[in-house]
Amino acid sequence: MDVSRRRHPFPWRAGCVSLGLLLLLSGCATVAERPAEPPDTAVIPELEDTEPDFYESISIYMSLGDPQAAIAAYEEARRGRPEDPRTRVLLSGLLLAAGQFETAASVLDAVLEAEPDNPDALFNRALLLGYDGETERQSELLHRVIERQPDNAQAHAALGENYLQRGRITQARAAFQTGLEYDPDNFVALVGLGNTLLRQREHQEAEKVLTRAVEIDPQYSFAWSDRGRARARQHNLFDAEQDLNRAIELQPDFSWHYVDRARVRAERRDFRGAIDDYTRAIALEPSVFLSYANRGRLYATVGESDRAYRDYTTALEMRPDYHAAFAPLGMLTFMRQEWERSAGYFRRAWQYEESQYGYPLLAALALRNNDDEAGARRYLNSVLNQLPRDTLYYDMARFYITPNVDSRLLRQIEQESNRMIKAQMYFLMGGHYELRGQNRLARTVYLQTEEQRLPQLIESQLATWALDQRYR
């Protein structure tokens, strides 16, 4: 139900309820599967001229997942009956379920021309406006419905969806809660409220609401995926993954279910499983650049630097302003010994992450590896005053500019209490020693970098790469 990234046929459930028919509640849902052999739509059962049989026959077709047959049954049953607004509103609901939106709109416009205040016609027309993205007009019609039917739970739920799409979270929550006051089991309101609570970071309450939703309709994939996200944010990762497994079973062709599960798997350190999920998401929706970037990060984590490089490069080609890729690409091009490119990426990364004082030092080390000591000194002199003077970042920059006795700097690194800074400095010393041909010392400080046990840190990954390439 996160409307910012996925559009699913959720609002049509509200349309079903507005018609007051169980047949449309089941027909609009994504629940029903077609039988192996759909009913022959040419065969229309004989209907007596009574409303119970009239509804029952249409309900049979809708429950079988065949709205076209239901429409045909409706037309047969309507023969000889007056063309009153009630029957035309019923037809519009059937057309909505069949996906014949333009025809449904024409039918509803005709009804509203004759009866401008018909609440059922207003409601179904509002749903069509929402589907077309006309949220302001949709809100206007829904308010007109509520003025005439204050206890219409479906209208309140649909209004909540409208607010949610427009980013008006507080109003969305109030609308969903009002709908539930009139109908505690209203599915649209339950899933909408659950999603709203997720956005408001009330994850425990969101889980409770969404649990009720999956009890009411266990075949709706988004209720499972939203509850999975609520559980993940409470660090209940096992149950979160189970919920997302169920969402994928129900809707295996929806890419964002795989993205959600990939995030949970990555947090559980199932990196291969997460990579598989991103690969599936990319196959389903190859235009989402973040899936490449996230898979690239995981490839880097498991040591597959070439694949990581390809994914990050793809992400940056798709979104040249994606600055979060600059630092990883700085690391990956460093591993590929593309020194000038590596320096460029680290410099660009620092422009966007000014508190990451390790980036300019890594850029300088890349320049030094490119036999450009003068360029490295010029660059560090140009940024030296931007580094905090009372830190090892400043001291290391001064050391790189004018290498002198290293023993004092090594003692400072040993005494550093911050493990991240200590790991960064040990790696930078290792790079310096390698350039001087002091390979034994380089190996020693690279091992000290690894001993800080910060495997996601760029300097740690570079130290492991250097050890694997040359010293193990």
Side-chain angles (χ1 to χ4, degrees):
M1 269 225 4
D2 189 343
V3 296
S4 66
R5 71 180 187 183
R6 55 196 184 199
R7 186 171 187 165
H8 51 77
F10 184 69
W12 302 116
R13 289 179 175 273
C16 299
V17 181
S18 73
L19 298 172
L21 297 172
L22 179 61
L23 65 96
L24 290 182
L25 180 60
S26 61
C28 289
T30 56
V31 176
E33 298 181 358
R34 284 185 177 273
E37 297 182 2
D40 184 356
T41 57
V43 179
I44 305 299
E46 293 295 328
L47 299 177
E48 296 180 9
D49 193 19
T50 60
E51 287 193 352
D53 287 343
F54 172 74
Y55 292 152
E56 181 181 358
S57 178
I58 300 172
S59 177
I60 290 171
Y61 283 125
M62 293 302 292
S63 66
L64 290 172
D66 197 338
Q68 296 290 347
I71 292 173
Y74 166 85
E75 294 290 352
E76 178 71 16
R78 192 174 58 85
R79 292 175 185 173
R81 295 168 181 257
E83 184 72 8
D84 60 35
R86 187 183 65 84
T87 58
R88 283 187 288 171
V89 171
L90 173 59
L91 176 60
S92 75
L94 293 167
L95 292 167
L96 292 180
Q100 298 181 31
F101 301 147
E102 291 185 8
T103 306
S106 298
V107 170
L108 290 167
D109 288 342
V111 173
L112 290 171
E113 186 176 353
E115 292 189 7
D117 293 330
N118 185 303
D120 289 336
L122 285 169
F123 184 72
N124 282 0
R125 194 67 182 91
L127 294 181
L128 278 168
L129 289 170
Y131 183 84
D132 289 333
E134 298 186 49
T135 54
E136 292 289 344
R137 287 188 61 203
Q138 181 194 42
S139 177
E140 177 189 340
L141 294 193
L142 289 172
H143 277 104
R144 288 173 60 186
V145 174
I146 292 169
E147 287 174 6
R148 289 153 183 78
Q149 297 179 336
D151 61 347
N152 188 325
Q154 291 74 40
H156 287 289
L159 184 60
E161 279 285 295
N162 176 281
Y163 285 137
L164 204 57
Q165 292 183 43
R166 295 157 66 191
R168 297 165 70 171
I169 306 302
T170 301
Q171 290 168 293
R173 179 172 180 167
F176 289 131
Q177 288 174 327
T178 302
L180 290 170
E181 288 174 8
Y182 292 116
D183 178 7
D185 290 338
N186 185 282
F187 184 82
V188 176
L190 284 168
V191 179
L193 179 59
N195 192 267
T196 302
L197 290 166
L198 274 175
R199 297 184 185 207
Q200 294 181 319
R201 301 182 184 279
E202 297 184 36
H203 304 137
Q204 189 173 8
E205 288 303 311
E207 181 183 353
K208 292 178 182 177
V209 171
L210 291 163
T211 295
R212 180 61 186 143
V214 298
E215 289 171 351
I216 291 173
D217 186 352
Q219 301 298 309
Y220 188 73
S221 69
F222 294 98
W224 290 97
S225 63
D226 284 347
R227 191 177 74 169
R229 290 191 294 129
R231 287 176 162 178
R233 292 173 186 177
Q234 297 174 77
H235 304 290
N236 183 1
L237 300 177
F238 177 81
D239 287 339
E241 184 169 345
Q242 299 308 304
D243 278 354
L244 291 164
N245 290 343
R246 182 61 178 147
I248 288 169
E249 288 174 10
L250 291 168
Q251 197 168 8
D253 60 348
F254 187 71
S255 66
W256 287 98
H257 291 334
Y258 295 94
V259 171
D260 286 338
R261 190 172 69 177
R263 291 169 177 161
V264 170
R265 286 179 164 180
E267 196 167 349
R268 298 188 72 192
R269 304 190 68 78
D270 178 11
F271 301 129
R272 291 293 178 186
I275 287 171
D276 289 344
D277 276 343
Y278 279 122
T279 299
R280 179 62 175 153
I282 288 168
L284 289 168
E285 200 167 351
S287 62
V288 180
F289 79 97
L290 270 178
S291 293
Y292 296 94
N294 288 331
R295 189 177 65 174
R297 176 176 53 82
L298 291 165
Y299 274 135
T301 300
V302 299
E304 296 190 33
S305 58
D306 287 341
R307 288 181 171 178
Y309 172 79
R310 286 196 295 270
D311 273 351
Y312 273 117
T313 301
T314 300
L316 202 56
E317 288 172 351
M318 297 171 72
R319 280 289 298 273
D321 63 339
Y322 181 55
H323 60 80
F326 294 154
L329 279 169
M331 177 188 74
L332 294 165
T333 48
F334 194 103
M335 292 176 177
R336 295 164 69 89
Q337 300 184 29
E338 298 175 8
W339 307 119
E340 190 172 350
R341 292 185 67 207
S342 178
Y345 279 127
F346 280 127
R347 284 197 297 260
R348 293 174 70 188
W350 195 39
Q351 292 175 2
Y352 292 95
E353 300 178 75
E354 295 178 352
S355 64
Q356 296 296 322
Y357 302 115
Y359 291 164
L361 294 168
L362 288 168
L365 180 57
L367 290 172
R368 294 184 67 189
N369 274 288
N370 201 39
D371 295 327
D372 188 7
E373 290 280 357
R377 285 195 295 271
R378 282 195 304 272
Y379 173 63
L380 287 175
N381 274 314
S382 72
V383 303
L384 189 62
N385 290 334
Q386 299 175 50
L387 303 176
R389 285 179 175 267
D390 58 347
T391 67
L392 279 169
Y393 298 110
Y394 184 87
D395 295 334
M396 182 61 72
R398 291 290 302 271
F399 179 79
Y400 266 27
I401 293 168
T402 308
N404 47 31
V405 179
D406 57 0
S407 57
R408 185 177 70 85
L409 185 55
L410 281 173
R411 283 196 299 272
Q412 288 179 265
I413 296 172
E414 290 170 3
Q415 294 167 4
E416 175 62 52
S417 60
N418 186 307
R419 287 192 302 125
M420 184 189 75
I421 297 175
K422 181 176 286 191
Q424 290 175 313
M425 297 303 115
Y426 274 133
F427 171 75
L428 292 165
M429 288 301 296
H432 171 76
Y433 288 139
E434 277 205 278
L435 287 167
R436 293 298 178 89
Q438 296 173 284
N439 294 334
R440 182 173 294 182
L441 277 173
R443 179 179 183 276
T444 298
V445 291
Y446 285 149
L447 288 171
Q448 287 292 325
T449 303
E450 282 194 330
E451 285 186 13
Q452 304 313 308
R453 297 183 180 180
L454 297 170
Q456 303 305 315
L457 188 68
I458 284 177
E459 289 83 355
S460 296
Q461 294 182 67
L462 288 173
T464 298
W465 166 79
L467 287 166
D468 291 342
Q469 290 288 309
R470 293 184 282 278
Y471 301 116
R472 284 204 255 253

